[in-house]
Amino acid sequence: MIPAMTTRIPHWIDGRPYSGTSGRTAPVRNPATGAQTGEVLLANAADAEFAVARAAAAAREWRTSSLSRRAAVLFAFRELLHARTGELAELITAEHGKVLADAVGEIQRGLENIEFATGVPHLLKGSFSEQAATGVDVHSTRQPLGVVAGITPFNFPAMVPLWMCGNALACGNAFLLKPSEKDPSASLFLARLWQEAGLPDGVFSVLQGDREAVDILLRHPEVRAISFVGSTPVARAVYRTGTAHDKRVQALGGAKNHALVLPDADVPMAADAIVSAAYGAAGERCMALSVAVAVGDETADALVAAIAARIPRLKVGDGSEPGTDMGPLITEEHRDRVAGYIAAGAEQGAEVVVDGRTADVPAGGYFLGATLLDRVTPEMTVYTDEIFGPVLSVVRVRSYEEGLALVNGHQYANGTAVFTRDGGAARRFQNEVEVGMVGINVPIPVPVAYHSFGGWRASLFGDAHMYGPEGITFCTRGKVVTTRWPDPASSSVDLGFPRTR
């Protein structure tokens, strides 16, 4: 039974809350307490059809707006979100569980992408060639697609939608967001800010839902492009279904990010960086460093000791409380799944140096302490699978070459890092590693907004990376116009293939 104090979380369609027709809902809980705080509506086919129809109608108007008007709306939205970051951060913490400082950081990294998109007058200016042939000019343009849909994960309920929507809206598309049903309120907060910033009704919409809503978006002919972030099995299915229905798709999947620690590395600095990257947001980041690859037993021993010494200093608790370093996992089921990986690692021969299952954590929430496993080998499930929790595995290798082969041999190739004081070794690694995003003594190498985000192999399905310059290309299609204004007296029939003269 739904408690009286819970909030009903609707869709946002055509510039207003929409209750839908399905009658289906899902509970929304505070992961730090386990208490239900809301119920989110789940769309059916009729709701999805209505959302797409309204977005498509709005897109036809928005695409005719001037570049200066679009930029003005983006600037206004940027100012509103900057001023209200604290409110949104509190909302994210209440539904996701991450600490407030982490939620603020998420919003700031999302804002970078809005700031990039404000440059749309420059980004869409095209090119022009005068006199490509005698009396003939050629120019190119990039035009909007129509409706672009974003299907976003629970771990970044503000940042990932901001990665997607800024470029889509700047390019003249309507953007239809299907957020995670686990923490859906941030999407409505963004929708209201877009409206306040002057975005016309229907150009930014929110369709709450689960798989039923996603299936409609993947097949609907008016949805021209799909941006997706989630697990690899789902990303693969989204890519195959969307492209089979003639859509442009970028589907970002899972990760198993390695940190290669060379013998010359500053071990205390590397330990600080790895602990921060492995356990931040309780490990629920696609860019989390979940594997430390130590070259040589001496390096490994020092690194394990340094990491183990830092873990007891981490305060695990409610992310809204000052001084908390790590919050809960998103659901009880996910917490138990992560704990199961720890048990499997121990059974398969890994050394459990620090066991998060026995950590001193608050009762009631979905908490798990930071875990450190040593002597992990490549056949163990804690190494092969994306765990998405506060579990760090240390793999020992004998050489740089062996470590590089390990990184390049994994199915996931999202992000990686190398820790070294040798510039030559770092340069060699960045050239030889087969991973989409690389950090040199940088543990979480998320690109800034004017580059683009995405991995290789099973971490990305599709040709375009997300946001930045590739995001502009993804949200538009190119058109080339060839123009001639001839003298009628010179007109004649010529059946030969056109040539430049």
Side-chain angles (χ1 to χ4, degrees):
M1 182 176 180
I2 305 296
M5 72 286 296
T6 59
T7 300
R8 192 172 178 85
I9 303 166
H11 314 283
W12 182 272
I13 298 173
D14 216 16
R16 61 188 61 86
Y18 175 70
S19 296
T21 60
S22 76
R24 296 192 305 127
T25 63
V28 177
R29 300 183 185 278
N30 182 339
T33 64
Q36 183 172 343
T37 58
E39 59 174 356
V40 61
L41 304 181
L42 300 177
N44 59 12
D47 298 331
E49 289 282 352
F50 178 65
V52 173
R54 299 313 303 153
R60 287 189 285 272
E61 292 293 324
W62 180 243
R63 68 170 293 152
T64 65
S65 61
S66 67
L67 297 179
S68 59
R69 183 189 175 196
R70 295 181 209 165
V73 170
L74 287 159
F75 272 114
F77 176 83
R78 188 265 176 200
E79 291 304 303
L80 288 168
L81 185 52
H82 179 73
R84 300 181 65 183
T85 290
E87 294 175 57
L88 180 55
E90 290 177 358
L91 195 60
I92 292 169
T93 295
E95 289 188 351
H96 175 272
K98 65 178 62 177
V99 302
L100 274 172
D102 197 24
V104 169
E106 162 183 351
I107 297 164
Q108 290 174 340
R109 292 307 301 267
L111 270 172
E112 290 179 7
N113 291 271
I114 301 301
E115 291 165 353
F116 173 81
T118 60
V120 64
H122 171 74
L123 298 169
L124 290 182
K125 67 182 181 182
S127 61
F128 183 87
S129 295
E130 185 179 18
Q131 288 291 94
T134 303
V136 176
D137 302 329
V138 179
H139 73 273
S140 65
T141 64
R142 299 208 65 85
Q143 296 185 335
L145 303 173
V147 178
V148 175
I151 303 168
T152 57
F154 71 82
N155 59 327
F156 288 105
M159 185 180 74
V160 174
L162 291 170
W163 281 3
M164 297 175 180
C165 72
N167 283 347
L169 297 174
C171 291
N173 301 287
F175 185 77
L176 178 54
L177 172 62
K178 205 302 285 183
S180 170
E181 63 273 24
K182 294 180 177 66
D183 46 7
S185 295
S187 62
L188 297 181
F189 191 98
L190 296 177
R192 291 185 173 92
L193 289 193
W194 279 117
Q195 185 178 61
E196 190 174 341
L199 190 69
D201 292 344
V203 180
F204 183 95
S205 304
V206 178
L207 184 69
Q208 310 284 8
D210 52 12
R211 181 172 179 173
E212 184 173 345
V214 172
D215 286 344
I216 295 295
L217 297 179
L218 292 176
R219 291 171 168 80
H220 200 292
E222 288 279 12
V223 177
R224 304 299 173 82
I226 298 280
S227 290
F228 172 87
V229 176
S231 69
T232 286
V234 181
R236 184 182 285 111
V238 164
Y239 179 75
R240 289 175 176 173
T241 304
T243 54
H245 288 80
D246 302 320
K247 301 188 190 312
R248 185 175 293 183
V249 180
Q250 52 181 190
L252 278 64
K256 196 72 175 182
N257 305 315
H258 298 70
L260 182 62
V261 183
L262 301 185
D264 73 309
D266 182 321
V267 170
M269 185 205 76
D272 286 341
I274 292 170
V275 166
S276 301
Y279 303 125
E284 292 177 327
R285 294 173 178 161
C286 68
M287 291 296 289
L289 284 179
S290 54
V291 182
V293 182
V295 178
D297 282 334
E298 184 177 344
T299 304
D301 290 342
L303 183 66
V304 168
I307 292 172
R310 285 159 172 75
I311 290 177
R313 306 172 196 167
L314 302 178
K315 180 183 176 183
V316 180
D318 190 325
S320 64
E321 296 178 355
T324 301
D325 298 299
M326 192 174 84
L329 294 170
I330 187 68
T331 64
E332 183 178 16
E333 294 77 13
H334 184 57
R335 188 267 316 276
D336 293 345
R337 176 177 176 272
V338 174
Y341 272 107
I342 301 170
E347 292 171 4
Q348 294 166 13
E351 178 186 345
V352 183
V353 180
V354 181
D355 192 338
R357 296 171 297 176
T358 61
D360 181 17
V361 298
Y366 312 135
F367 295 99
L368 186 67
T371 295
L372 175 62
L373 304 178
D374 191 12
R375 302 185 186 279
V376 171
T377 55
E379 69 277 2
M380 296 179 183
T381 55
V382 291
Y383 178 77
T384 59
D385 296 0
E386 181 183 34
I387 298 175
F388 223 59
V391 180
L392 173 64
S393 298
V394 176
V395 178
R396 296 170 179 244
V397 296
R398 291 163 293 184
S399 65
Y400 164 87
E401 289 77 13
E402 185 181 347
L404 178 71
L406 194 73
V407 178
N408 287 346
H410 203 282
Q411 65 166 323
Y412 297 125
N414 199 48
T416 189
V418 63
F419 291 91
T420 180
R421 286 181 279 197
D422 185 331
R427 183 173 178 81
R428 180 182 176 187
F429 180 78
Q430 73 181 39
N431 290 331
E432 295 179 341
V433 73
E434 297 171 2
V435 174
M437 293 170 284
V438 182
I440 309 297
N441 298 315
V442 174
I444 307 177
V446 176
V448 292
Y450 38 91
H451 289 269
S452 296
F453 179 101
W456 292 5
R457 294 197 292 277
S459 293
L460 173 69
F461 300 90
D463 296 327
H465 290 167
M466 194 164 288
Y467 68 71
E470 291 189 54
I472 295 293
T473 302
F474 179 78
C475 292
T476 57
R477 52 186 172 181
K479 180 180 288 185
V480 180
V481 181
T482 303
T483 304
R484 180 168 69 98
W485 300 101
D487 181 347
S490 66
S491 178
S492 65
V493 175
D494 183 354
L495 301 188
F497 195 81
R499 292 176 292 159
T500 56
R501 300 175 182 174

